[in-house]
């Protein structure tokens, strides 16, 4: 998901200048005698985004001209792939995931038929539906790919096996499926 970078539009936030280079913006401002401010935090390599921008990207450009363009193209393709995989996971959930008290039940026989990449997206999607909300979004900060792989491993385990996940969430192998939900009391 992170490989796609920031989208130009996301949840009502529009970033119209992502496709414009800093040099192009500065040239436009200079040509039009417009003043601008520099955010001092953008100069500090203490932040990883700035260290990448100031140290790593110039090295890439020295090695391969237009590296930034190639990376931006790859990020756009990653966003397309992510959107497609999310669509497939949503389709699966609509047909094969049932709402239960305190969580969701994934139909195991149908889940096993899916490719691993779809299984991962389904688990992530279901987990996001049971995680606590922070500022209107599911708090997935503490959920890792290891957690997702652990939940997927339940498909080959016996009934009653469970995994305790962050934020009071549990995944449990039950008759006919995998339950993902909130721990009771």
């Amino acid at each position: 998901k992170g490989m796609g970078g920031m989208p130009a539009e996301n949840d009502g936030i529009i970033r119209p200048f992502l496709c414009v280079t800093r040099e192009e913006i500065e040239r436009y401002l200079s040509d039009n005698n417009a003043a601008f401010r520099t955010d001092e935090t953008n100069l500090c390599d203490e932040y990883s985004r700035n260290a990448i921008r100031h140290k790593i990207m110039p090295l890439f450009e020295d090695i391969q001209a237009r590296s930034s363009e190639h990376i931006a193209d790859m990020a756009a393709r990653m966003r397309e792939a992510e959107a497609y995989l999310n669509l497939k996971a949503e389709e699966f959930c609509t047909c094969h995931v049932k709402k239960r008290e305190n969580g969701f039940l994934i139909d195991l026989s149908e889940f096993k038929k899916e490719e691993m990449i779809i299984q991962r997206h389904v688990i992530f999607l279901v987990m996001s539906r049971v995680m606590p909300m922070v500022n209107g979004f599911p708090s997935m900060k503490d959920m890792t790919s290891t957690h997702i792989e652990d939940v997927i491993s339940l498909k080959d385990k016996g009934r009653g096996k469970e995994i305790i996940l962050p934020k009071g969430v549990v995944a449990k192998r039950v008759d006919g499926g995998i339950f993902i939900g909130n721990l009771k009391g």
Side-chain angles (χ1 to χ4, degrees), residues 128 131-134 137-143 167:
S128 73
M131 293 302 280
M133 301 295 272
V134 175
F137 297 98
S139 177
M140 298 296 286
K141 184 179 127 219
D142 298 326
M143 207 61 72
K167 304 217 167 65

Side-chain angles (χ1 to χ4, degrees), residues 26 30 47 83 133:
E26 288 178 350
S30 176
Y47 300 100
M133 301 295 272

Side-chain angles (χ1 to χ4, degrees), residues 150-169:
D150 288 346
V151 174
I152 289 172
S153 76
L154 289 173
K155 72 182 179 187
D156 300 318
K157 303 229 166 117
R159 190 170 127 321
K161 298 291 183 186
E162 69 178 35
I163 297 165
I164 305 300
L165 299 164
K167 304 217 167 65
V169 174

Side-chain angles (χ1 to χ4, degrees), residues 28-42:
Y28 174 85
L29 293 171
S30 176
D31 291 349
N32 291 281
N33 295 319
F36 68 93
R37 275 196 168 143
T38 299
D39 180 346
E40 296 299 320
T41 65
N42 286 335

Side-chain angles (χ1 to χ4, degrees), residues 6-108:
M6 274 193 292
E9 190 278 322
N10 188 27
D11 295 319
I13 298 171
I14 299 171
R15 296 175 179 89
F17 293 111
L18 283 181
C19 62
V20 182
T21 67
R22 180 180 185 90
E23 291 76 24
E24 290 171 315
I25 292 170
E26 288 178 350
R27 188 176 331 109
Y28 174 85
L29 293 171
S30 176
D31 291 349
N32 291 281
N33 295 319
F36 68 93
R37 275 196 168 143
T38 299
D39 180 346
E40 296 299 320
T41 65
N42 286 335
L43 304 175
C44 177
D45 286 347
E46 181 178 319
Y47 300 100
S48 58
R49 69 177 188 274
N50 294 335
I52 292 167
R53 186 182 301 135
H54 298 147
K55 295 178 179 176
I56 297 172
M57 290 310 297
L59 288 173
F60 281 172
E61 290 293 332
D62 285 346
I63 295 167
Q64 173 68 46
R66 298 177 44 218
S67 290
S68 296
E69 289 176 44
H70 297 307
I71 291 169
D73 289 343
M74 184 270 311
R77 285 192 293 282
M78 295 302 286
R79 284 191 300 274
E80 288 175 0
E82 180 70 15
Y84 176 77
L85 293 168
N86 286 339
L87 175 68
K88 289 305 195 186
E90 284 285 356
E91 288 173 357
F92 179 91
C93 287
T94 298
C95 297
H96 307 295
V97 176
K98 304 296 178 218
K99 177 80 173 111
R100 295 290 187 255
E101 183 180 347
N102 297 323
F104 296 88
L105 179 65
I106 301 168
D107 180 314
L108 189 59

